[in-house]
Amino acid sequence: MPKTETPQPLPGQAATGSVSDAGGFGGRALTPSESSETVPWHRRRGFERALSVLSPILIIAIWELGARAGVIDIRFFPAPSRIFQSFLEMLRPTEDYPRGELLTHFGDSLGRIVIGFVLGAVPGIAIGLAMGLIGWVRALIQPLVDGTYPIPKIAILPLFIMLLGIGEESKYAIIAVAVIYQVLINTVAGVRNIDRIYLDVGKNFHASRLMMFLDVALPGALPVILTGLKLGMGVALLVIVSAEFVGAKSGIGYLIWSSWQVFQIEKMYVGLLLSATLGFGSAILLNYLEQKLVPWKPR
Amino acid sequence: MTGMGKAETSPAGANGSAKIRLRGVEKHFFVRGRRVDALATLDLDIRSGEFFCIVGPSGCGKTTLLRILAGLVGRSAGTIEVVRDSDEATTARGTATARPLNSMVFQEASIFPWMNVRDNVAFGLKARGFDRRDRYAIADPYIRNVGLGGFEDALPHQLSGGMKQRVSIARALANDPELLLMDEPFAALDEQTKLLLQAELLRIWEESRKTVLYVTHSIDEAIVLADRILVMSARPGRVKDIIDVASVFGRPRQVDAVKSSPHYGEVFGRVWGLLRDEVTAAREEEDRRNAKD
């Protein structure tokens, strides 16, 4: 009977020849008329891909040559090779940093982010689901969220240091607060925007409140919740670096700030590189998570 | 206002062959302070094991009637009585064995995109408290029966529109409701798929002989499927007439045999004759409303 209806490919085959994959770097799918025969060379995908790889390499090359030739002020822009050298030096264990300076700062920031992120994301999703599904919970909490959301999160760091001390707890707290807003707001939006039909199905089939939460609202809101997690991670990176500028003795923010103060500019650049790595890595991780958790989302 | 959940139920036998008894059912709602009557005093008896189709002009309240029966919206007045096939279920309410009063097959894609076919079909069973092994054991034959054997683990986005509606039908059937409610389930499908699924539905229904309430805007579909066709008036919806199709086309029924029968045109003419004035009336009212705004 299903013979006459063509089923779409099953999981294993999904990627082969799928149009959604055709975006590539340019994010532009080929239209049927654009076969490789007729497309001019400067519009071919291979060329665009090569450009995307070449542009950062080109910038670094110009920077390096400029620094060596004395065209660029190396007090502010030390040659990339010098920064790389500094990077390698910082990997070595020293008396102050038995794990190496680089890994110590990177690891400390990473630990703070992971713990703070989880502390913010889990209650953010739970409260957001309740607010999305239950009217009186929303009425109770929404004004509190709206009223405090505009406060820049870093502005409450002094309060947290006062309450929790200069140690790790205040860092976890400030990240958790930064994350919880993004996750909560997006979770509420996700639940509120679930297609009515799914709630009708739940109601018609007499799903319990727990099933409405776990089998309908949570997965239905998941695509938007993941957007919230991504935004939350962005804010978390922002907040942790700023918090470490002033209130820490380790971490990427501390590395950047202290290197600047003693004018070790190469180390400061290494710090920038580390924060970029952290941002890039977390984005990859969350995108992977999205693919695993929301396989039905059109891509 | 009470939904279906509070509809009175009584054990079988006491009420002859009536399965659902609607008395004075009304529905009105307010749009910008103005009262709009969706359903005007509806009295209706639907027999046990009957395939009952409802046709009417758009906006006549046929979907509203179905949603009232499904417990998704309340009614403004009247009583709805559903006769249970056995009193076993009424005593076991709230336990895994309780049969639900009704399950609905919706018009648009309503299966959960985040669940595979098996979990979608077993959804109602999970809500009723069956554990995983039991509900899969119940769901799997229904999945095969709608022709989706081998697709148990597929996710909906891997299925075609017709296959999704098959899942939706299996989900409602697996729940073993007293009453199957279907709201234009094939309206969004292409013509060929629709023909196939109508034939499938006839076959499946023949096996279970469940009481079905089927809303459609297609006269053709109503004739092919129904024992009786209710023609509803333009808004506010009321019973215009009920046409007995079962006396013309017996069971079991073949879709092609019905369509090529000389009686087909005759029945079609009768239904369309009743419907035409209502469709015109509905359109005139709509034009009037548009002109006013």
Side-chain angles (χ1 to χ4, degrees):
Chain A
M1 202 185 22
K3 276 171 260 155
T4 45
E5 300 161 37
T6 325
Q8 274 143 47
L10 283 167
Q13 325 158 240
T16 10
S18 100
V19 191
S20 59
D21 192 37
F25 271 71
R28 186 178 64 89
L30 285 180
T31 55
S33 62
E34 291 181 275
S35 77
S36 58
E37 310 283 304
T38 55
V39 180
W41 63 271
H42 62 274
R43 286 181 60 193
R44 289 204 191 141
R45 205 137 28 90
F47 175 70
E48 287 175 3
R49 204 165 283 211
L51 273 188
S52 307
V53 177
L54 270 178
S55 68
I57 293 176
L58 199 68
I59 292 290
I60 291 172
I62 291 173
W63 181 358
E64 178 76 37
L65 290 174
R68 288 188 182 205
V71 185
I72 297 173
D73 190 339
I74 55 165
R75 286 173 305 168
F76 305 133
F77 304 102
S81 55
R82 284 284 307 122
I83 297 170
F84 184 66
Q85 210 179 326
S86 176
F87 181 93
L88 292 179
E89 280 163 18
M90 288 169 70
L91 278 173
R92 274 199 298 272
T94 63
E95 220 162 282
D96 288 342
Y97 300 105
R99 284 185 294 156
E101 194 176 358
L102 190 133
L103 283 183
T104 304
H105 291 311
F106 188 78
D108 283 1
S109 287
L110 187 67
R112 285 167 192 153
I113 284 188
V114 168
I115 292 172
F117 189 79
V118 172
L119 285 178
V122 172
I125 293 174
I127 300 170
L129 283 180
M131 284 173 72
L133 280 179
I134 306 166
W136 65 263
V137 177
R138 188 165 55 250
L140 199 69
I141 299 177
Q142 191 73 52
L144 305 178
V145 174
D146 292 344
T148 53
Y149 179 60
I151 301 172
K153 301 306 160 281
I154 197 69
I156 22 179
L157 183 64
L159 179 66
F160 280 143
I161 291 178
M162 214 160 65
L163 292 173
L164 301 167
I166 194 90
E168 295 302 294
E169 289 80 5
S170 56
K171 317 286 182 303
Y172 301 152
I174 193 83
I175 294 174
V177 166
V179 169
I180 202 170
Y181 278 95
Q182 299 295 335
V183 174
L184 185 144
I185 288 170
N186 279 284
T187 304
V188 175
V191 175
R192 304 287 285 163
N193 286 323
I194 291 176
D195 228 324
R196 257 217 71 85
I197 186 89
Y198 299 129
L199 304 178
D200 280 351
V201 171
K203 200 172 172 194
N204 182 242
F205 284 85
H206 303 293
S208 63
R209 178 147 274 180
L210 187 69
M211 263 183 88
M212 283 303 250
F213 263 87
L214 295 180
D215 289 330
V216 182
L218 180 61
L222 210 49
V224 190
I225 292 177
L226 273 153
T227 306
L229 290 176
K230 288 181 189 174
L231 290 170
M233 183 56 87
V235 183
L237 292 170
L238 198 79
V239 165
I240 188 60
V241 171
S242 342
E244 286 168 351
F245 275 178
V246 288
K249 285 280 160 263
S250 70
I252 295 171
Y254 169 78
L255 170 66
I256 293 172
W257 194 260
S258 60
S259 311
W260 172 75
Q261 286 194 313
V262 298
F263 218 69
Q264 286 186 304
I265 297 302
E266 289 90 354
K267 277 188 164 188
M268 188 192 81
Y269 276 98
V270 173
L272 291 179
L273 195 67
L274 288 184
S275 62
T277 310
L278 210 53
F280 205 62
S282 63
I284 290 175
L285 196 73
L286 285 169
N287 282 335
Y288 175 78
L289 200 67
E290 185 173 44
Q291 271 173 33
K292 288 289 140 199
L293 290 177
V294 196
W296 66 90
K297 188 182 171 186
R299 253 178 281 271
Chain B
M1 283 197 276
T2 36
M4 186 68 175
K6 284 174 191 148
E8 301 105 83
T9 60
S10 48
N15 293 285
S17 64
K19 179 78 183 167
I20 320 169
R21 200 179 281 250
L22 287 85
R23 288 294 175 266
V25 172
E26 285 176 25
K27 175 70 185 174
H28 43 80
F29 48 87
F30 291 89
V31 182
R32 278 174 277 152
R34 229 174 9 176
R35 181 175 147 153
V36 178
D37 289 316
L39 290 175
T41 329
L42 209 66
D43 296 314
L44 199 61
D45 282 335
I46 292 158
R47 298 172 196 145
S48 187
E50 177 173 48
F51 203 119
F52 193 85
C53 279
I54 304 173
V55 296
S58 34
C60 76
K62 49 190 194 294
T63 293
T64 305
L65 175 60
L66 218 59
R67 289 177 68 84
I68 289 173
L69 286 167
L72 296 176
V73 293
R75 58 185 184 271
S76 308
T79 59
I80 297 171
E81 193 186 340
V82 177
V83 182
R84 288 197 176 267
D85 284 346
S86 64
D87 48 7
E88 160 264 321
T90 33
T91 54
R93 237 190 136 90
T95 71
T97 51
R99 279 181 70 195
L101 279 178
N102 66 78
S103 295
M104 184 137 164
V105 180
F106 293 85
Q107 176 179 355
E108 60 267 58
S110 68
I111 58 173
F112 301 116
W114 48 87
M115 289 182 196
N116 63 24
V117 168
R118 186 180 275 125
D119 283 319
N120 261 296
V121 173
F123 181 77
L125 299 165
K126 186 178 183 187
R128 285 163 58 193
F130 286 96
D131 67 33
R132 183 187 298 260
R133 204 154 41 109
D134 287 347
R135 59 178 190 264
Y136 285 174
I138 297 171
D140 278 356
Y142 285 98
I143 296 170
R144 285 195 296 273
N145 198 20
V146 296
L148 289 177
F151 286 93
E152 287 86 352
D153 296 315
L155 283 169
H157 74 276
Q158 298 162 327
L159 306 177
S160 69
M163 292 165 90
K164 285 180 197 165
Q165 285 307 69
R166 288 170 194 271
V167 177
S168 186
I169 291 169
R171 176 173 66 187
L173 287 173
N175 211 18
D176 192 24
E178 299 273 347
L179 182 62
L180 189 60
L181 303 172
M182 305 183 87
D183 183 15
E184 305 198 38
F186 306 146
L189 304 179
D190 64 78
E191 200 57 36
Q192 288 94 331
T193 310
K194 194 185 294 186
L195 281 172
L196 268 175
L197 282 180
Q198 285 167 355
E200 282 296 311
L201 181 60
L202 277 179
R203 176 183 62 78
I204 293 165
W205 177 78
E206 208 69 64
E207 292 164 9
S208 67
R209 288 280 179 157
K210 265 195 194 316
T211 314
V212 179
L213 236 78
Y214 191 105
V215 164
T216 178
H217 62 253
S218 159
I219 301 173
D220 170 76
E221 187 168 71
I223 295 172
V224 167
L225 297 174
D227 288 316
R228 291 193 298 160
I229 300 174
L230 162 66
V231 181
M232 280 178 77
S233 69
R235 196 159 68 199
R238 54 168 63 86
V239 177
K240 170 106 174 176
D241 204 352
I242 294 177
I243 290 166
D244 189 359
V245 185
S247 63
V248 185
F249 301 113
R251 303 275 185 187
R253 221 182 253 180
Q254 300 295 324
V255 176
D256 341 341
V258 172
K259 290 199 177 190
S260 55
S261 151
H263 301 296
Y264 175 82
E266 194 185 307
V267 179
F268 194 100
R270 269 174 66 199
V271 178
W272 176 233
L274 288 163
L275 205 51
R276 188 171 41 211
D277 299 342
E278 299 305 328
V279 173
T280 319
R283 292 202 46 177
E284 274 168 6
E285 207 223 301
E286 198 175 324
D287 289 345
R288 241 196 335 270
R289 226 170 335 128
N290 288 341
K292 239 190 280 180
D293 293 338

